[in-house]
Amino acid sequence: QVQLQESGPGLVKPSQTLSLTCTVSGGSITTNLYYWNWIRQPPGKGLEWIGYISHRGSTYYNPSLKSRTSISRDTSKNQFTLQLNSVTPEDTAMYYCARVLGPTETTDRRRGSWGQGIQVTVSS
């Protein structure tokens, strides 16, 4: 059974870069047809899809975040990483990584396999 675990700093200063890593076990990030997503949930708000990296390494981002977002991977470590530049307090959220079958902009926690999430606060 695949498991995903988010890691990274819980506090980031405004204007800096938020960098999170998702470590995957029980399955390879190069397995055909799977897409590896980042999703977030600001306090008191709904889930927001950020973007994904495919089993082939191609990426696709939420247009509203595209200019500040980069998702990459390290196949040797079976990890994928989110970088969000120029953060503001509005980027404060619980951040999740998830494996989903197919290229969908999912915010449905019933779909796929999700990590437990990591709280990131943007504050000086």
Side-chain angles (χ1 to χ4, degrees):
Q1 182 178 355
V2 70
Q3 292 185 323
L4 298 90
Q5 179 68 58
E6 304 88 350
S7 61
L11 180 64
V12 182
K13 288 183 168 55
S15 81
Q16 292 188 343
T17 296
L18 180 162
S19 184
L20 298 175
T21 296
C22 184
T23 301
V24 179
S25 59
S28 172
I29 63 172
T30 61
T31 300
N32 203 24
L33 301 180
Y34 283 109
Y35 288 71
W36 304 87
N37 294 259
W38 285 99
I39 304 105
R40 69 181 183 180
Q41 186 168 24
K45 297 184 179 180
L47 290 163
E48 178 181 34
W49 177 78
I50 300 171
Y52 65 62
I53 186 164
S54 77
H55 58 281
R56 295 178 178 174
S58 59
T59 55
Y60 184 68
Y61 305 119
N62 184 327
S64 69
L65 297 170
K66 182 178 180 179
S67 64
R68 300 194 291 128
T69 305
S70 177
I71 298 175
S72 59
R73 67 180 185 173
D74 186 334
T75 56
S76 67
K77 295 181 180 179
N78 215 35
Q79 296 174 332
F80 63 106
T81 300
L82 168 70
Q83 287 196 317
L84 184 64
N85 301 321
S86 304
V87 297
T88 72
E90 285 66 42
D91 294 308
T92 293
M94 183 73 80
Y95 284 77
Y96 299 93
C97 58
R99 184 190 78 168
V100 179
L101 188 63
T104 61
E105 301 171 20
T106 187
T107 55
D108 186 349
R109 296 203 64 176
R110 296 169 298 178
R111 293 196 62 179
S113 299
W114 290 54
Q116 63 183 15
I118 183 170
Q119 175 66 41
V120 177
T121 300
V122 179
S123 174
S124 55

